[in-house]
Amino acid sequence: MDELVKLVSQKAGITEEQSKAAITQVIAFLKQKLPAPIAAQIDSVLGGGMPDLNSLGSMFGTKK
């Protein structure tokens, strides 16, 4: 998540604290709006890096 905070901070021209606050709000919003199985994986995705495309496809039920 640190990498995301830095990227948003740089791209938006805001402090890292502001970036982290914004990201936290977006994550909370996504967890509220996404189906439970996907929402439950958000923390693991952010903590462990992005999943490969096969993992992402299986999260959305599109992996064959």
Side-chain angles (χ1 to χ4, degrees), residues 11-33:
K11 296 287 184 178
I14 58 177
T15 67
E16 287 190 14
E17 292 81 23
Q18 291 170 320
S19 175
K20 188 170 184 174
I23 293 167
T24 301
Q25 290 301 310
V26 170
I27 291 169
F29 176 81
L30 290 173
K31 286 181 180 180
Q32 230 177 8
K33 299 293 182 179

Side-chain angles (χ1 to χ4, degrees), residues 1-2 5 13-16 18 20 24 28-29 33 35-37 39 41 44 46 49-51 54-55 63-64:
M1 179 138 150
D2 291 336
V5 169
I14 58 177
T15 67
E16 287 190 14
Q18 291 170 320
K20 188 170 184 174
T24 301
F29 176 81
K33 299 293 182 179
Q41 295 183 20
S44 64
L46 291 174
M50 293 301 293
N54 289 331
S55 297
K63 183 177 178 187
K64 295 183 178 170

Side-chain angles (χ1 to χ4, degrees), residues 42-63:
I42 290 176
D43 290 328
S44 64
V45 168
L46 291 174
M50 293 301 293
D52 64 27
L53 292 178
N54 289 331
S55 297
L56 190 59
S58 66
M59 279 176 47
F60 290 100
T62 59
K63 183 177 178 187

